[in-house]
Amino acid sequence: MTAPSEQPIIWTGTYTADGGGRAEGIGALAENPDGNLEWLGTAVKADSPSFISVHPTLPVVYAVAEQRKMVRSFRRSGAFGLEPLGDPQPAGEATCHVAADPQGRFITAACWGDGQVLLYELDGEGGIAGRFPAAPSADPHASLNPGEPRQSRAHASLMLADGRIMTTDLGHDVIRIWNYVPGTGLVADHEVALPFGSGPRHLVQHRSGNVFVVSEYSVEVFVLRPEAGTFELVFRGPATAGGSLADDSAAEICLGRRGHFAYVGVRGSNIISTLEVRDGGTELLPVKDTPSGGNWPRHHLVRGSWLHVAHERSDNIATFALDAVTGLPGPLVHDLQAPSPTALVPAG
């Protein structure tokens, strides 16, 4: 199948057999004006590309190989295909997230298995040129459980509007802020400790400059506000309107197109929670929980007035229309079968 040139493409991160999934590599979806998604096929075969990112200006895609401890780069080929660009690069244990610098200078990779945060500088074609490990991390809550050291578990990176990089450490309950130094990599700036056992997972920056964080373990949301260059914790609240169950785990947080609402996916209960952004971006108040349309909502994406939710375990992507006033998802408008989707990333 060939995608018409005017149709936007969305890449899907996936799990393949080595990660217990049913996909063959990075998937390609065509996005239609009515919100419906169309499965185009596997863009390139790759081992468990569970998270992907795109170069800001070049037709290049970056993907982790979570089970293989690698990151890889691919070049667009044809309407929706990808082909390898350079050799796979070594990473850390359970490399689960990759993010691209908005200026195209580097990518970062977060490693859930061993806590490493890695930076890879890019060449002029978008290929990976060199790797730099960040400084070792420390657990700010170490005194709470002496003799039982916790494993650092880096989970995501966010490129901040001021050029710095923010990362989550799900194991140490901490947010770290870094500076990029060419030829050196990531240099620590400061960190913000979150409550013990919360497990910060993913994050997004609001137009106010504040950063919204969702915690996997405690299923909460946090707001970090920059004050004279240093972020401080200014808000903590539940991520859902109806509470959470013992086996629930929060997955992803994203913003609506105008920044008035945030959306959190919760696995287990399989819901998408709509939260209203209040007081200039300093509060997140749950409004309503909506069934996500499948099993294990791993990642979701707002595109205009549409919300697409990728379900890892039920092999489907559910699409909802978002109400322009309330921000709430309406009834399910489309359900697409897609193998083991774990991330939805627009091609451009």
Side-chain angles (χ1 to χ4, degrees), residues 2-336:
T2 301
S5 59
E6 66 272 12
Q7 276 185 296
I9 299 295
I10 295 176
W11 306 118
T12 67
T14 66
Y15 276 127
T16 56
D18 67 336
R22 292 155 295 284
E24 294 184 338
I26 298 174
L29 308 174
E31 186 180 16
N32 296 309
D34 61 2
N36 288 357
L37 300 177
E38 179 182 357
W39 172 253
L40 298 175
T42 299
V44 65
K45 290 186 176 182
D47 294 323
S48 289
S50 58
F51 208 88
I52 54 183
S53 184
V54 298
H55 192 281
T57 58
L58 299 174
V60 177
V61 175
Y62 305 98
V64 304
E66 185 168 337
Q67 313 302 323
R68 307 295 185 185
K69 300 187 291 185
M70 298 186 303
V71 293
R72 301 185 65 180
S73 56
F74 301 92
R75 182 191 291 114
R76 285 286 294 268
S77 174
F80 65 89
L82 296 168
E83 61 184 13
L85 175 63
D87 296 325
Q89 300 296 312
E93 293 284 345
T95 307
C96 63
H97 191 274
V98 61
D101 166 48
Q103 299 182 46
R105 299 168 297 174
F106 61 85
I107 59 171
T108 55
C111 305
W112 182 86
D114 56 21
Q116 290 191 77
V117 179
L118 304 170
L119 183 142
Y120 302 79
E121 290 185 330
L122 304 176
D123 60 28
E125 295 183 350
I128 300 174
R131 184 185 79 162
F132 301 94
S137 59
D139 184 354
H141 299 292
S143 62
L144 297 179
N145 58 339
E148 296 181 10
R150 300 189 301 166
Q151 173 63 53
S152 172
R153 297 196 183 280
H155 205 283
S157 301
L158 174 67
M159 304 299 164
L160 298 173
D162 64 9
R164 291 181 294 178
I165 301 94
M166 183 178 282
T167 62
T168 58
D169 190 326
L170 189 149
H172 284 173
D173 302 312
V174 68
I175 305 296
R176 295 191 173 87
I177 296 88
W178 312 83
N179 291 293
Y180 166 59
V181 177
T184 298
L186 293 171
V187 175
D189 189 305
H190 67 284
E191 63 183 37
V192 180
L194 297 190
F196 181 85
S198 54
R201 178 181 171 94
H202 276 195
L203 63 179
V204 65
Q205 188 166 30
H206 186 254
R207 64 190 181 191
S208 63
N210 296 344
V211 173
F212 303 158
V213 182
V214 65
S215 60
E216 177 172 337
Y217 299 151
S218 64
V219 193
E220 294 178 290
V221 287
F222 301 86
V223 177
L224 307 183
R225 181 175 62 194
E227 293 289 343
T230 301
F231 283 87
E232 61 179 9
L233 177 62
V234 297
F235 178 83
R236 175 190 185 184
T240 66
S244 58
L245 301 178
D247 293 333
D248 281 350
S249 60
E252 170 70 5
I253 183 169
C254 77
L255 291 169
R257 59 178 174 175
R258 290 188 294 272
H260 297 159
F261 297 94
Y263 301 91
V264 168
V266 178
R267 300 166 294 183
S269 289
N270 295 337
I271 58 173
I272 296 292
S273 173
T274 301
L275 300 97
E276 185 180 2
V277 180
R278 300 285 297 275
D279 293 336
T282 58
E283 293 185 354
L284 289 171
L285 302 182
V287 178
K288 185 178 181 180
D289 304 331
T290 303
S292 65
N295 186 12
W296 216 249
R298 174 68 175 258
H299 193 259
H300 56 274
L301 172 70
V302 171
R303 293 282 280 173
S305 59
W306 308 105
L307 171 67
H308 306 298
V309 186
H311 295 92
E312 176 189 335
R313 295 184 179 177
S314 53
D315 298 327
N316 72 302
I317 301 170
T319 297
F320 303 86
L322 297 174
D323 187 280
V325 177
T326 66
L328 295 174
L332 180 71
V333 297
H334 188 245
D335 188 31
L336 176 71

